[in-house]
């Protein structure tokens, strides 16, 4: 192992940085009500102009420096990452960074053609997570709010499966009053397919989605709904710090997961940094403040200077928002919080 790969920065709570989520765009073709509600992200909303987005070379340079601080996994996200042209080139650039062991992407799959899935896989993308919150047309369109047909996402999922990724996972956010009935539909549809379905609790990210605690369907409640129809039992985690709680179907139809970020927060193990599309580093999904790297890069900073900056950002990190939230059960002032579409899920 090289000297560089032995190094691991730790934050103030002794947490390493292992994962980097990279948002490649703040734009999306969907207006999911819990993420980019159209009342806020409608006509007139000012998306980031192209010149302000990080260029692919800038992104891979930052990823390289993070790898030197201990990052081993990269996830590409957005907004909707497939909106960004040349994503394959970015994946290729990241795939050759020393220390990076895994590259994955989170997408709504609406633009995932067979060709795109194959070229991303060939470029080095190993895993893909596809967001799908309902199977019935009415609910799905109510969630995406752009009348996007569910059949086209199901096609995208087929393309992902055919392209040969190491894993294709399906992520579903469940919000009471919108799609609670989808828990059973989705479980029934994906069990036995080899794809792992993960249910995500509706989170109070950003400041625009009108989050209310009573709209959260807890992981426990979702597991109970499934268990009543398809008995399941818990499975031990794949690795320390795994975010999704794993359960298996007792009839051998595979696994299902739950991400209980609201009711069972996992800040203690959080080793995740986020890079926004404009080059700000966020050390927590619920952060109000990002640390800019783009200006530093465009002013000609050396790798050494960038490394120092990234090291300092992580070494000073103290965030554990979700744990504090559940202790006080209060909604902390949300007005300044960064939106999910800027830093990815
Ligand atoms: C912000 S999206 C970006 C990638 C891509 N557009 C997609 O939908 O997969 C990433 C993930 O965040 C999830 N998400 C967005 N807002 C959320 C919220 N308020 N609570 C829980 N998950 C949320 C989405 O469902 C999606 O699975
Ligand atoms: S969850 Fe993904 S698909 Fe939905 S609006 Fe947000 S970024 Fe777009």
């Amino acid at each position: 192992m090289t000297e560089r790969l032995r190094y691991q920065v730790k934050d103030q709570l002794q947490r390493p940085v292992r994962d980097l989520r990279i948002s490649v765009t703040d734009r999306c073709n969907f207006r999911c009500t819990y993420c980019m509600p159209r009342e806020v992200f409608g006509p007139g909303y000012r998306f980031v102009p192209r010149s302000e987005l990080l260029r692919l070379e800038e992104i891979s340079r930052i990823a390289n420096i993070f790898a030197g601080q201990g990052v081993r996994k990269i996830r590409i996200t957005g907004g909707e990452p497939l909106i960004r042209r040349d994503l394959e080139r970015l994946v290729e650039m990241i795939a050759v960074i020393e220390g990076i062991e895994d590259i994955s992407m989170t997408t709504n799959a609406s633009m995932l053609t067979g060709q795109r899935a194959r070229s991303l896989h060939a470029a080095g993308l190993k895993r893909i997570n596809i967001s799908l919150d309902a199977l019935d047309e009415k609910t799905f369109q109510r969630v995406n709010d752009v009348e996007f047909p569910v059949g086209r996402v199901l096609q995208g999922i087929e393309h992902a499966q055919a392209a040969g990724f190491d894993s294709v996972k399906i992520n579903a956010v469940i919000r009471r009053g919108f799609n609670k009935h989808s828990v059973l539909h989705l479980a029934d549809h994906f069990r036995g397919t080899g794809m792992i379905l993960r249910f995500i609790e509706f989170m109070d990210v950003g400041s625009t989605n009108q989050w209310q605690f009573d709209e959260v369907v807890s992981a426990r409640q979702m597991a109970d709904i499934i268990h009543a129809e398809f008995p399941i039992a818990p499975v031990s985690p794949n690795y320390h710090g795994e975010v999704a709680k794993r359960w298996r179907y007792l009839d051998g139809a595979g696994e299902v997961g739950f991400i209980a970020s609201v009711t069972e927060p996992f800040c203690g193990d959080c080793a995740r940094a986020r890079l926004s599309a404009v080059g700000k580093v966020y050390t927590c999904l619920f952060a109000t403040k990002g640390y800019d790297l783009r200006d530093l890069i465009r002013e000609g900073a050396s790798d050494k200077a960038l490394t120092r900056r990234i090291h300092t950002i992580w070494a000073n990190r103290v965030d554990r928002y979700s744990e504090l939230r559940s202790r006080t059960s209060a909604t902390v002032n949300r007005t300044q919080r960064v939106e999910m579409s800027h830093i990815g899920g």
Side-chain angles (χ1 to χ4, degrees):
M1 194 195 278
T2 64
E3 186 59 33
R4 167 184 146 100
L5 292 190
R6 266 194 287 272
Y7 185 69
Q8 176 68 75
V9 64
K10 298 259 177 73
D11 73 6
Q12 295 287 306
L13 302 172
Q14 295 308 307
R15 297 168 298 188
V17 63
R18 303 294 286 177
D19 305 348
L20 178 64
R21 295 219 159 176
I22 300 174
S23 170
V24 292
T25 177
D26 63 330
R27 292 171 199 250
C28 187
N29 56 333
F30 283 13
R31 288 292 172 274
C32 300
T33 47
Y34 54 74
C35 179
M36 296 179 74
R38 65 165 56 255
E39 307 80 64
V40 178
F41 295 88
Y45 180 81
R46 187 180 170 276
F47 287 99
V48 173
R50 185 177 263 273
S51 62
E52 288 178 27
L53 291 178
L54 283 184
R55 291 189 278 273
L56 302 185
E57 291 70 18
E58 292 170 327
I59 297 176
S60 75
R61 187 173 170 207
I62 293 170
N64 185 34
I65 290 173
F66 265 104
Q69 298 296 304
V71 162
R72 296 290 170 265
K73 289 166 139 190
I74 301 271
R75 174 170 296 277
I76 296 171
T77 176
E80 175 45 46
L82 292 173
I83 283 185
R84 188 92 188 237
R85 267 180 289 138
D86 281 350
L87 210 53
E88 290 78 355
R89 203 157 64 76
L90 177 66
V91 174
E92 276 169 9
M93 285 192 278
I94 293 174
V96 296
I97 294 175
E98 187 191 13
I100 297 302
E101 295 161 1
D102 181 51
I103 311 176
S104 57
M105 178 172 72
T106 304
T107 172
N108 64 27
S110 61
M111 289 177 275
L112 192 63
T113 59
Q115 165 57 32
R116 199 94 207 264
R118 284 190 296 276
S119 60
L120 283 163
H121 180 252
L125 191 74
K126 293 206 168 134
R127 300 181 301 115
I128 195 159
N129 288 0
I130 294 176
S131 306
L132 175 66
D133 301 333
L135 286 167
D136 66 290
E137 199 68 88
K138 188 165 160 242
T139 312
F140 186 65
Q141 295 196 8
R142 188 171 168 221
V143 172
N144 70 52
D145 210 13
V146 291
E147 297 180 4
F148 197 88
V150 69
R152 288 195 30 213
V153 173
L154 294 172
Q155 251 169 25
I157 293 173
E158 277 177 27
H159 293 147
Q161 268 192 303
F165 292 107
D166 290 357
S167 83
V168 177
K169 291 185 182 148
I170 309 298
N171 287 339
V173 174
I174 302 299
R175 182 179 188 179
R176 198 183 302 281
F178 276 76
N179 63 340
K180 193 171 163 208
H181 62 283
S182 295
V183 172
L184 260 192
H185 286 181
L186 288 162
D188 191 19
H189 186 87
F190 286 105
R191 49 185 245 106
T193 61
M195 289 182 275
I196 298 184
L197 169 66
R198 285 126 37 107
F199 290 103
I200 304 174
E201 289 178 351
F202 174 41
M203 288 187 282
D204 50 336
V205 273
S207 52
T208 58
N209 66 9
Q210 309 289 323
W211 183 87
Q212 307 268 357
F213 186 77
D214 57 15
E215 288 182 324
V216 177
V217 182
S218 71
R220 183 75 243 176
Q221 288 165 335
M222 297 193 253
D224 286 348
I225 292 171
I226 295 174
H227 184 70
E229 195 70 24
F230 307 112
I232 49 176
V235 182
S236 45
N238 275 326
Y239 53 89
H240 179 74
E242 191 173 29
V243 167
K245 298 251 184 309
R246 299 167 60 209
W247 293 64
R248 66 185 171 83
Y249 291 105
L250 294 180
D251 65 359
E255 282 188 20
V256 59
F258 300 93
I259 302 180
S261 22
V262 176
T263 59
E264 293 173 62
F266 32 78
C267 304
D269 294 321
C270 180
R272 187 170 291 163
R274 296 165 195 273
L275 178 65
S276 78
V278 295
K280 285 191 175 165
V281 174
Y282 290 86
T283 54
C284 176
L285 186 53
F286 302 96
T288 50
K289 175 171 177 268
Y291 303 89
D292 182 60
L293 297 182
R294 187 194 60 200
D295 289 353
L296 208 62
I297 290 183
R298 293 189 184 173
E299 284 157 12
S302 64
D303 278 0
K304 206 167 159 196
L306 273 175
T307 304
R308 218 179 303 123
R309 172 91 168 131
I310 288 172
H311 180 275
T312 307
I313 292 169
W314 195 264
N316 288 330
R317 175 187 192 238
V318 291
D319 311 88
R320 52 190 194 100
Y321 169 79
S322 293
E323 286 179 355
L324 297 177
R325 173 229 291 122
S326 63
R327 253 168 238 180
T328 57
S329 72
T331 27
V332 178
N333 180 1
R334 303 187 56 199
T335 51
Q336 304 292 317
R337 237 189 258 160
V338 65
E339 291 301 326
M340 190 77 140
S341 53
H342 283 251
I343 53 171

